[in-house]
Amino acid sequence: MTKTRKIINDPVFGFLSIPDGVLFQILQHPYMQRLNRIRQLGLSFFVYPGAMHSRFLHSLGAMHLMHEAITSLREKEVEITDIEETAAMAAILLHDVGHGPFSHVFEEAGMLPEGTNHEDISLRMMYEIRDWFSASQIACPKERAETAAIMELAIRIFKDEYDKHFLHQLISSQLDVDRLDYLCRDSFFCGVTEGSVASARILKMMNVKDGRLVVEAKGIYSVEKFLVARRLMYWQVYLHHTSVAAEQVLIKILTRAKELVANGVELFASPALMYFLSLRNSSPSAITHTLLTHYEALDDSDLLSAIKVWMNSEDKVLCVLCECFTHRQLFKGKLLEKPLTTKEKDLLREQYAQRFGVSREEADYFFVEHISTSNTYSEKGEAIDIMYKDGSVRDIADASEMLNMETLTYKPQKIYLFHLK
């Protein structure tokens, strides 16, 4: 395979270099190019109009940070081979390749086979890309074998089946390059300065001890800032009540469309979207090549175009929901002190049934009770370890003078009633 070097201008980190032929070919693969057509922040543009960046751009940024992290670790004499570096960069480049339209909404609406999620799709796509390299005619047999071997190693790192555990931690942990990129990137495009983190300093302070990723004590304040920024971004951006309201409307739309298709109603939809609206297989083994072929063709535009057409649907429920979504007449969010009682839910059903002339069961589509929750730090997850000059290691929750375990692991919950005005 011909080695190719490309430079990409990123508004967050500047010029990003794609130094290796394998990584360039992964970027060219249709599975990866599809991420150009999927927004990183789903429906957050309803609140932050600048939040239009793609999952492709996020993946590029995470790959860049992986390179920076490995460069920093090598300077501290951590042994990482060129093949391991390329494999780790390939793994982080593909970590989000299985995301559906509008991020998590697609799977939350039950559009994937039961018991599966976007991470299962990502892994299966990685296997297919590996096999694509093996069968590709773009290189000689030796180069095909080498690239397939790199992809196999990338999969092992992604699945945490490689003996250098710290490489997996850089991809998926409580302080990984994925989170470092999306906090910097999302705060930039939303204009929310509270989410900005010192990613460069954190990467420079990383080290490895006993095969595990640690942060040198000099970087503890940057880690504290990272944790605080993450909490603020969740409540200010990711769990903003208007964004969640838009998500709930979209979930209701897809759920209703899927129900109508199951009942034999003909709906407009692209072939890719109709495949998933018609999907009835509840087995995880349903992630077949055929499913991935349709998934590759599916992006945000499929849903948006269908919703515009469904505004004229003869089905009252689907018509009203699609009009609300398209014209930004979203569900009204009301913060509750306690969950709704059965009597309160029945009253809402009766009101909507009378207003729209639908059944009480169909009236459920016009309201939803939702719990928003987030935690800054998981006590059960892998600790963010701080290493001191004497070689001792302490959990950030013990090492921090500002944050403690109770503060870090506190998981606030907000109960909302989202309902059509």
Side-chain angles (χ1 to χ4, degrees):
M1 185 180 294
T2 304
K3 299 290 183 180
T4 308
R5 186 174 184 270
K6 294 290 182 181
I7 300 295
I8 296 174
N9 192 356
D10 174 36
V12 177
F13 296 121
F15 290 103
L16 312 183
S17 177
I18 314 300
D20 190 273
V22 177
L23 298 173
F24 178 71
Q25 291 301 325
I26 291 173
L27 285 173
Q28 294 293 93
H29 194 279
Y31 287 168
M32 193 69 205
Q33 285 297 311
R34 169 182 161 273
L35 297 185
N36 265 316
R37 306 187 298 275
I38 294 180
R39 291 183 177 92
Q40 165 74 6
L41 284 182
L43 299 173
S44 291
F45 66 88
F46 276 114
V47 182
Y48 301 101
M52 303 294 283
H53 54 300
S54 67
R55 288 222 167 250
F56 183 86
L57 188 56
H58 160 61
S59 298
L60 280 175
M63 183 189 69
H64 166 74
L65 294 184
M66 175 65 79
H67 173 70
E68 294 294 299
I70 289 175
T71 299
S72 177
L73 292 176
R74 280 176 168 165
E75 291 173 353
K76 297 169 184 178
E77 300 183 349
V78 177
E79 185 178 346
I80 303 171
T81 67
D82 289 343
I83 291 177
E84 289 169 340
E85 178 184 19
T86 303
M89 291 174 69
I92 194 62
L93 187 61
L94 291 165
H95 77 287
D96 271 351
V97 73
H99 264 289
F102 294 108
S103 298
H104 299 279
V105 169
F106 196 73
E107 58 188 283
E108 289 180 14
M111 301 294 285
L112 298 180
E114 188 176 342
T116 64
N117 55 37
H118 72 274
E119 291 181 347
D120 299 317
I121 301 285
S122 293
L123 186 58
R124 184 60 189 270
M125 284 182 161
M126 290 173 74
Y127 280 119
E128 292 229 343
I129 292 174
R130 178 202 62 184
D131 296 340
W132 173 75
F133 274 128
S134 298
S136 175
Q137 299 302 312
I138 59 178
C140 67
K142 180 180 178 181
E143 288 178 322
R144 289 201 299 270
E146 289 176 349
T147 52
I150 288 172
M151 275 304 304
E152 182 63 36
L153 180 56
I155 292 169
R156 290 176 63 196
I157 293 172
F158 182 80
K159 296 172 65 178
D160 197 17
E161 294 178 351
Y162 190 57
D163 55 7
K164 292 185 178 180
H165 175 61
F166 67 88
L167 292 176
H168 174 78
Q169 286 182 290
L170 286 171
I171 296 170
S172 179
S173 66
Q174 299 202 76
L175 182 62
D176 52 40
V177 296
D178 175 30
R179 296 184 185 193
L180 286 173
D181 179 82
Y182 74 61
L183 286 176
C184 290
R185 190 167 305 280
D186 297 347
S187 63
F188 174 85
F189 281 98
C190 291
V192 179
T193 57
E194 290 86 352
S196 179
V197 297
S199 59
R201 178 164 177 80
I202 290 174
L203 294 177
K204 286 294 183 183
M205 294 297 105
M206 283 184 173
N207 209 327
V208 173
K209 181 175 174 60
D210 299 329
R212 297 177 61 83
L213 202 64
V214 296
V215 178
E216 294 170 359
K218 291 182 293 184
I220 189 170
Y221 302 119
S222 297
V223 175
E224 289 174 338
K225 174 65 167 58
F226 161 82
L227 292 170
V228 171
R230 187 165 183 267
R231 167 157 286 182
L232 292 174
M233 282 293 287
Y234 262 88
W235 289 113
Q236 195 163 341
V237 177
Y238 309 131
L239 296 178
H240 190 288
H241 68 277
T242 303
S243 296
V244 177
E247 291 173 0
Q248 294 305 311
V249 175
L250 184 52
I251 289 171
K252 293 287 189 181
I253 289 172
L254 292 174
T255 304
R256 182 59 172 177
K258 197 173 180 70
E259 180 184 358
L260 293 173
V261 170
N263 291 332
V265 177
E266 291 189 10
L267 288 181
F268 168 86
S270 67
L273 179 56
M274 183 54 68
Y275 176 88
F276 288 95
L277 289 174
S278 306
L279 193 63
R280 296 292 175 266
N281 194 328
S282 62
S283 169
S285 62
I287 303 181
T288 61
H289 179 73
T290 300
L291 183 145
L292 293 182
T293 299
H294 286 92
Y295 205 75
E296 174 198 326
L298 191 69
D299 54 53
D300 292 358
S301 63
D302 292 78
L303 272 62
L304 292 174
S305 59
I307 289 169
K308 286 196 293 183
V309 175
W310 293 345
M311 287 170 60
N312 300 312
S313 172
E314 294 181 0
D315 180 75
K316 187 67 174 179
V317 173
L318 187 62
C319 171
V320 170
L321 291 173
C322 290
E323 286 180 347
C324 291
F325 184 86
T326 303
H327 301 310
R328 202 186 180 279
Q329 302 300 313
L330 305 174
F331 284 174
K332 179 75 173 178
K334 179 182 179 182
L335 191 60
L336 303 176
E337 294 182 0
K338 58 183 179 179
L340 293 174
T341 64
T342 301
K343 184 178 180 179
E344 289 171 328
K345 291 180 181 179
D346 286 340
L347 180 59
L348 283 169
R349 290 188 184 99
E350 188 63 33
Q351 290 173 343
Y352 286 120
Q354 291 182 7
R355 176 180 172 185
F356 294 110
V358 298
S359 68
R360 288 171 58 84
E361 290 74 19
E362 290 174 328
D364 279 340
Y365 279 100
F366 299 116
F367 72 94
V368 62
E369 189 176 29
H370 177 80
I371 298 177
S372 291
T373 184
S374 171
N375 67 327
T376 304
Y377 191 72
S378 174
E379 189 175 5
K380 297 179 181 178
E382 280 192 297
I384 298 178
D385 289 326
I386 305 299
M387 184 177 71
Y388 294 85
K389 288 184 178 181
D390 61 2
S392 62
V393 174
R394 295 172 64 190
D395 188 324
I396 181 65
D398 297 324
S400 174
E401 296 176 355
M402 181 179 71
L403 306 171
N404 55 43
M405 185 61 75
E406 183 178 355
T407 302
L408 287 172
T409 60
Y410 173 60
K411 198 171 184 178
Q413 291 188 343
K414 295 182 180 181
I415 306 174
Y416 285 100
L417 167 64
F418 291 109
H419 62 102
L420 190 64
K421 290 186 285 188

